[in-house]
Amino acid sequence: MASEAGEAAQDDSVDEEESTLVSNGKPENEDAEGDASEEEEDEEPRLKYAPLTEHLNPVYRNGDATSAFLVAGDKMIIGTHNGNIHVLSVPSLKPIRVYHAHSASVSGLSISPFPPPLAATKMDAMNRVASEHRGSPRPSTPKQNNKSPSQQQPVPITPSNMIYIASSSIDGNVCVACLTDTKDVQLRNFGRPVQTVSLSPDYRADRSYLSGGMAGNLVLTVGGRLGTSSTSTTTGSAAASTSGWLGAIGLGGNTGRDQVLHSGEGAISTIKWSLSGKHIVWVNEQGIKIMRSNLHLETGESEFAWKRISHTDHPNRPGWDEMAGIWKAHVEWIDEAGLESDDGYPPSNIAVEKLRDPPDLERLKAPLKRRRTEKLIVGWSGTIWIINVHPGGAGVGKEIGERKIGRAEVVTILRIDCIISGISLYTPNLLLVLAYITPEEDTFSNSTDTKPGRHRRKNALQPEIRIIDIITKEEVSVADTLNMSRFESLSATDYHLGVLPAMRISSKATTQRGAFEAIGGGIEAIGGGIWDATMYPARLFSSSVSVRSDGSIGSSVKAASDADTKASLASAQISEIPNPATLAHGMKIFIHSPYDCVVATKPSLFDHLSWLEKHSLYEDAWNLLNRNPEAVHGQSDRASDSPSSTPTKTQGSLVDFFGDDSSQTTLSGQPNPNSQAEKAKRRIGDQWVQQLISKGDWSKAGRICGQVLDTSSSWEHWVWVFAQANKYKEITPYIPTSQLRPPLPSLVYELMLGHYVQTDRLSLRELLERWPPELFDASVIIEAIESKLKAGDVREDSTEDGETGRDWRILMEGLAKLYLANGHARKALSCYIRLQDADATMSLIAEYHLVSAVSDDIAGFILLRVSKYQQKSAPMSELSTATLEPIRLLVAEAHHGIVQPETVIQQLEKRYGMPNPYLFFYFRALWTGDIAQDSQETATPKPATEERLLAIEGKTLVSDHADTAVHLFAEYDRPLLMEFLKSSQSYDLALASKSCEERKYIPELVYLLSKEGRTARALRLIIDSLNDVSQAISFAKEQNDASLWDDLLDYSMNKPRFIRGLLEEVGTSIDPLKLVKRIPLGLEIEGLREGLGRMLREYEVQESISEGVARVLRGEVNAAMRQRGRGQRMGVRFDVAKHHHDDSSNHGDSNKPKNPSKKIRPGYCVGCGETFTELDKDILIAFPCTHIFHLPCLLKYEKSDSELPDVLSTFNTLDSDGEGGYDRSIGPKVDHAALLRTVVGEGCPVAEHHMDDGVG
């Protein structure tokens, strides 16, 4: 039984021949070999290398050397020639457990499950880090030099540590040990050297493994007692046979049983289970064998267990017979989920991309994906096989209903000129080969160098890493040579290649977290917490916020303040920092020799950037940084950290292989101008520009400046460089137009604009349109333009490229824009008027209220849209349309009193004389009220009243210059002239008559003559010039002058046509008899009868109308008289009280109040306020307004006694005359009526004087 030994002695020195590697695998001190070396450097390396030997000092103590190697999950397992097994954590490479398993060299290693699970919880990660910390070597002390097995710290029981490790040795033993349980160990002797061993993927449950070696037997071992040493039943010894048959009958101890699955084809060098556990591959001297295992058998497939499904012959190459036992085959089941991608570079630790899930998570998802085909890579001697192993299943076609065991398909065979010491798949299309180079025969060697009968072994060459394209079957890059220690004495079997697949995650947005969250980081995939925790264990426990627990649930925690612990942690940290290469993302390739360990990784973005800079590929380097700012951070910048640093940031993920907590991750979308990435971009950008200028490519250099420069200092520098080389056009389009911080000096922009003022006006216009005026001093450019215009070489009539005045217009437009930018709107308006830019002028006037400014050049303002050609030949309608907008604006400002009509008349007369169409357009718009409207007025039309007022005001303005208006209207608009003559009274009649007479405007002249009172001449003009009897008759009717009719009759008596017209149209205006009598006898008048008949009919109609009117009038008068009579005969109703008074009322009593109460009630006298009774003797006077008075009260109402009329005595006299009898005569009634008329002739005094008080 193998006993477990403690750690090896720590005082032995390590070999001084330490290999030093650079990124391409070449030693730093190796001399260049001419052009071949230069060509190699021109090609970017596919891998970068880093030595790990210094991290494996415990492995090489006591002169020990490695003989077997395995890396999987977060474990590295190394077997040595002394029979020791070293289990190290990855990436820290700290020893987890070391035990002595064999007495001779370890020949093979295997673990179960493969690959091992990663840490699943944060607590698992913390426990592991704590255990590593407790078990980590402290500063050398005598007490720790020889540690016994019992002194080794126990391995924490975590999912990632729950693995079994099997080792085979040339001592004939196979040792299977549990990593966490030192008692769970078995040692089995097979009697012959064992070359390879492979644990069942489910060893924990089935306790089975396969082994093979020099005996040539493929042995399946099942069972066995823990903590014991046993002998295989295949050895043929008596003890083994006895143990076998006693165990079979149940009488012996459970030492396990062995079954030979295959034999007889020579020594077995390699055995390996597939990742799914369904297949097994083994290699003997005859070839490659694949069989179905006993795992994952479906119903009806039990017979397929341990049945071979494929055989491939061994390589056929010279020397095979002698080297068959030495050339060991290397097999690898490929996990395609862990391969590198064919394109791009792995993400840096500070910006993890969204990639695939970890391989172990992929395998957990396998039942959902129903993974079927497995890929196997075999490298043996100089031949490579790529084999697809297809699983069995139900048959199809003719074989339906039968079960198939599966098949193996060789898809590719490659042959290379070396011995394969290790092989794997790098990407889906690239093979990774560890090549052992056999030395060539030296034909010039001296045979006397060796003694007779002694064979001299040739020195080996340095091993190489080759990457081969599967499709093209060619190497994709120059092989990387590895300078390993003592390589001259090593053979092909001394080298080992192990691969950790690329770990992929599903990343999420990262935020800053506390210390414990940094430890765990969130479990985004299986094993999420372990990697970050194992990266910097010393930092974890030295953090100011780290804590430790007493182990009980709910117990309080306290700060780790023990001074001794802190001191040990600080000391241990220096030696515990992992190699930066092991912290890289992506696939990690470990190359082992007996004395060295090297790790290779895919170059990171930082490595790619460094290579590009080294080879002056600045364009690619800048674009790389622009796409991936994180490329500026190297692994070396993040590997070290202060012992007292506190984790404050999460990684991309903790399952991300060897995450990083030293780089800041932010969520801001804006780059920090002071960040390392931005500084690097500026540095590389400057180098890129300088490189282009050195090549003379100024155009591209200018374009690149616009792409890479982002600071004012760099822009200022390069602008001056271009200016000094007179390369203005190459840099100008790319000068930034937005304000930089700090801003670019205005002198830069002024330099460019000043150059183009002198040389290229088209470019000047483009720049002034694109560059905001805030970037430069506008007054400087104004001065430059004005100087250029004054120089006279750019004029309004100068020609450039066949276009007249092009440069002059450009300078004037620029001058106007600069004036505006400088706050001189009036000067800008003057420039636009000279340019005849109507849109800009009108916009400027509206925005800055500059109507008063146009008074200096009204003619130019009106002609904004009128070209010189139009001024000479355009018709009036075209000119009217072109000048409509400025004319309307001038009219509107005339109404506002800003631009007076006198100013317009004066300037237009001075420039164009009289008459001129532009002044006519102005007067016409004034007269008709056609004015400009702003946007609000356009949206909301003016009320009709306001429009009428504006029209009236406009007519008034025109009337102030009536003679000028008459002249203009007579020249350009005759209908408007007649309207003006009839509407206005302000013009000079003599001048107007003269103007009309000169132009022979007869109707207008007739109107003017009639207005002067010269109607006879006007009538004569109508008859002589117009010969229009109808107009003559109308004119006579309008004047209503009898003498005018006589003149018309006198003139018409010798003109039959006029006589007939008079008969038909004169109507009743003159006496028809007078007209008929004056007709000369014997004058023949055509249509005389019809004319007379028409005249008579008109008189008849007139007479009929008159009679009808008379009848209507009489009827209306009669109706009104009848209505009046009815009203006079109507009575006035009033009430009389039905009670009696003892004393008769004396309404004439002077003691009665003369002004009774104004409260009036029905049935009461308004004057005295008493009720009316049947016994009242006084006359009652009632008015239609319902007011009723006693006659005495009415006479006394609001009058003094002296003013009372003396009618009461008269009434009394009339009443006394009729006393004693009733007189029916009409006389007294008439007298009474006459007297009453004198009293009430003015109506009701109450209604007359108190209507305002509401009475009545």
Side-chain angles (χ1 to χ4, degrees), residues 8-15 57-66 80-84 86 486 594-595:
Q10 303 179 9
D11 54 353
D12 291 350
S13 61
V14 183
D15 286 325
N57 289 335
V59 177
Y60 302 113
R61 290 191 178 96
N62 295 327
D64 204 356
T66 62
T80 69
H81 285 291
N82 289 343
N84 296 322
H86 297 260
R486 310 178 193 179
Y595 313 106

Side-chain angles (χ1 to χ4, degrees), residues 1117-1132:
V1117 170
N1118 292 335
M1121 292 180 66
R1122 288 194 296 272
Q1123 184 177 1
R1124 180 173 179 274
R1126 286 196 300 271
Q1128 291 177 344
R1129 291 194 295 272
M1130 290 178 63
V1132 178

